[in-house]
Amino acid sequence: MPTYVTLLNWTDQGARNYKDTAKRAEAFAAAAQKLGAKLLNIYWTVGPYDLVAVVEAPDDETATATLLQLGGVGNVRTTTLRAFGQEEMDRIIAKAAG
């Protein structure tokens, strides 16, 4: 299943409600599952991003719907990257090499 790395920053609302961040992560995992995606892991980070989430989804549309729903709650803004594992990259290289 495709993997997505999402960089998250708290909004003002999210920062004000920092005490609920672990509960919000659990709610996100449950919401993702209902849409057909899976939260593989979430990390709270120090630096330019407040959190990093690793999500699997069957396709870009499901991943986008999942992250739009998350952003719609108002606690975070997201930047999402499609990530490729080694087997996927091997196939990409094979295609590129012709």
Side-chain angles (χ1 to χ4, degrees), residues 2 6-7 16 21 24 27 37 47 49 56-57 59 64-65 67 69 73 82 92:
T6 302
L7 309 172
R16 276 193 308 273
T21 187
R24 292 194 313 250
Y49 297 98
E56 277 187 345
D59 50 50
T64 302
L67 295 163
Q69 191 176 74
V73 175
R82 170 63 167 92
I92 291 167

Side-chain angles (χ1 to χ4, degrees), residues 2-59:
T3 302
Y4 303 84
V5 175
T6 302
L7 309 172
L8 302 103
N9 279 315
W10 283 335
T11 61
D12 288 342
Q13 172 183 308
R16 276 193 308 273
N17 297 315
Y18 71 90
K19 291 179 183 177
D20 297 332
T21 187
K23 289 179 185 176
R24 292 194 313 250
E26 290 173 10
F28 171 54
Q33 191 169 15
K34 286 181 184 176
L35 291 172
K38 181 178 181 183
L39 177 62
L40 296 180
N41 220 326
I42 191 162
Y43 302 95
W44 286 262
T45 57
V46 175
Y49 297 98
D50 297 313
L51 302 102
V52 176
V54 181
V55 176
E56 277 187 345
D59 50 50

